Amino acid sequence: MEDNLMKNDLIANNASNCNILPGQERYVAPLDDTPIQEVDSVDESAAATSMWADTWRTLRRNPLFIVSAILIIAIIFVAFFPSILTKHNPNYCVLEHSLEPASAAHPFGFDMQGCDIYARVVYGTRTSLSVGLLATILVVLVGSLIGALAGFFGGWVDTILSRITDIFLALPMLLGAIVVLQMFRTSKSIWKIVLVMVLFGWVSVARIARSAVMESKNLEFNTASTALGSTPIRNLFKHIIPNSLAPIIVVGTTSLGTYIVLEATLSFLGIGLPSTTVSWGGDISTARNVLTTNPEVLFYPSIALAITVLAFIMMGDAVKDALDPKSRKA
């Protein structure tokens, strides 16, 4: 009886307060019957989280990341400590050992010049990895800066930088590198190869950075920071760029393998690193002369190059999946 009276009172109050016509009454449940605290409650004791913490949690569960991380750690170890894996000098070549088969002391045999193939593969890791890392770091820095300035300031700044980007985008990286290196063939060094890669490689990073910055600058944190008196330059470098790093990190990780392949290609064509520098591309170029008779000479540096590039591509794919909110499982 009391429930019916309460219901009738609620209906009457609703009708009087909201001018509800007869037949349009609404029933409002008492507060005790709607325990919203069980649905909307927040666990205040839970640890704070962030995008990077969620990304690391996702990466740890991804088998692709685990495999690629193990490969990359092994590659870095070989690059930093080659003397632990071999005691032979990669530049010590004796023609008497030319194309000799593998043995216990020389597991990969000898190349046409009588050099130990295993030693050259091990020491070539440092060269290829150094070129790839240096090129990637500089490309990401230059491309991110140009793209961030274009996306943040807009207007004539964006117009000029975008047109410059379009000009370099129309130039194929390999063809441009060949032309520039042919113009400066008097000196060959790792830094010259790296600078040529940066000259033609910053474009893709700049376009991605521009899009990410244009999206981030319209978010609430930038408006709040400006309202608190922060300058535009401070907002750009302290707030906007850090919140735009996710796609830049993805393209940088994937591009590292591309620059390693580019260095090997240029060395294979004879316009890359000097012949005195041990590199996989140079060894592949030398081995093509005996490909039909001794294919193993070409196989070992090629498989080392392929494994390294594959490891960084796999890492890039894993990072991309982890940083993409749409790919995360609830």
Side-chain angles (χ1 to χ4, degrees):
M1 180 66 68
E2 293 179 357
D3 293 340
N4 292 332
L5 292 174
M6 183 182 296
K7 179 177 180 181
N8 293 331
D9 291 341
L10 288 171
I11 293 174
N13 292 333
N14 290 334
S16 61
N17 295 333
C18 303
N19 297 323
I20 298 176
L21 298 176
Q24 296 180 341
E25 296 85 356
R26 296 177 299 174
Y27 171 71
V28 179
L31 184 61
D32 295 338
D33 295 343
T34 57
I36 59 175
Q37 65 275 9
E38 297 181 3
V39 178
D40 299 336
S41 60
V42 177
D43 185 6
E44 298 180 356
S45 62
T49 185
S50 65
M51 182 189 71
W52 301 111
D54 293 339
T55 299
W56 172 241
R57 191 180 304 110
T58 304
L59 285 175
R60 288 183 300 177
R61 302 171 183 172
N62 191 345
L64 189 66
F65 170 77
I66 297 174
V67 173
S68 60
I70 293 174
L71 289 175
I72 291 175
I73 292 174
I75 292 168
I76 294 175
F77 178 82
V78 173
F80 276 91
F81 307 103
S83 59
I84 296 178
L85 301 176
T86 178
K87 301 300 181 182
H88 298 284
N89 187 346
N91 290 317
Y92 180 75
C93 308
V94 180
L95 287 176
E96 296 179 357
H97 299 307
S98 178
L99 301 178
E100 285 188 2
S103 61
H106 308 279
F108 293 171
F110 295 87
D111 62 9
M112 190 170 59
Q113 301 296 326
C115 306
D116 184 83
I117 297 176
Y118 174 73
R120 293 187 68 84
V121 169
V122 170
Y123 278 88
T125 306
R126 175 182 296 178
T127 302
S128 298
L129 191 62
S130 299
V131 172
L133 285 175
L134 289 174
T136 301
I137 292 173
L138 293 179
V139 162
V140 168
L141 290 177
V142 174
S144 299
L145 180 60
I146 294 176
L149 292 176
F152 182 75
F153 291 104
W156 64 269
V157 177
D158 184 23
T159 301
I160 294 176
L161 294 179
S162 296
R163 297 296 77 78
I164 295 175
T165 302
D166 293 338
I167 293 173
F168 279 90
L169 185 64
L171 300 174
M173 183 183 298
L174 179 59
L175 180 60
I178 292 174
V179 172
V180 173
L181 291 175
Q182 287 285 11
M183 295 172 58
F184 302 96
R185 296 193 63 178
T186 55
S187 62
K188 294 182 179 181
S189 65
I190 290 180
W191 280 108
K192 187 175 73 171
I193 303 296
V194 170
L195 292 178
V196 169
M197 293 180 181
V198 175
L199 179 63
F200 296 100
W202 61 270
V203 182
S204 58
V205 178
R207 291 170 66 90
I208 293 175
R210 175 180 176 271
S211 300
V213 168
M214 290 181 67
E215 181 180 357
S216 297
K217 75 175 184 179
N218 295 320
L219 298 179
E220 289 80 2
F221 67 84
N222 185 41
T223 305
S225 180
T226 303
L228 292 174
S230 180
T231 61
I233 296 297
R234 179 181 175 85
N235 286 344
L236 176 62
F237 288 97
K238 187 175 181 179
H239 301 293
I240 296 178
I241 291 182
N243 282 277
S244 306
L245 287 178
I248 298 174
I249 292 175
V250 171
V251 71
T253 307
T254 307
S255 299
L256 199 153
T258 303
Y259 296 128
I260 293 177
V261 172
L262 181 59
E263 180 275 321
T265 303
L266 295 174
S267 298
F268 177 82
L269 296 175
I271 58 175
L273 298 175
S275 57
T276 55
T277 303
V278 181
S279 68
W280 292 334
D283 290 348
I284 293 173
S285 178
T286 304
R288 62 180 175 175
N289 299 321
V290 292
L291 179 60
T292 56
T293 57
N294 299 84
E296 70 278 0
V297 179
L298 178 67
F299 173 78
Y300 295 116
S302 299
I303 196 65
L305 176 64
I307 292 175
T308 302
V309 174
L310 178 62
F312 284 104
I313 291 177
M314 290 167 55
M315 176 65 73
D317 290 340
V319 172
K320 178 181 178 181
D321 295 338
L323 289 174
D324 185 6
K326 297 180 181 179
S327 66
R328 296 176 185 167
K329 296 181 180 179

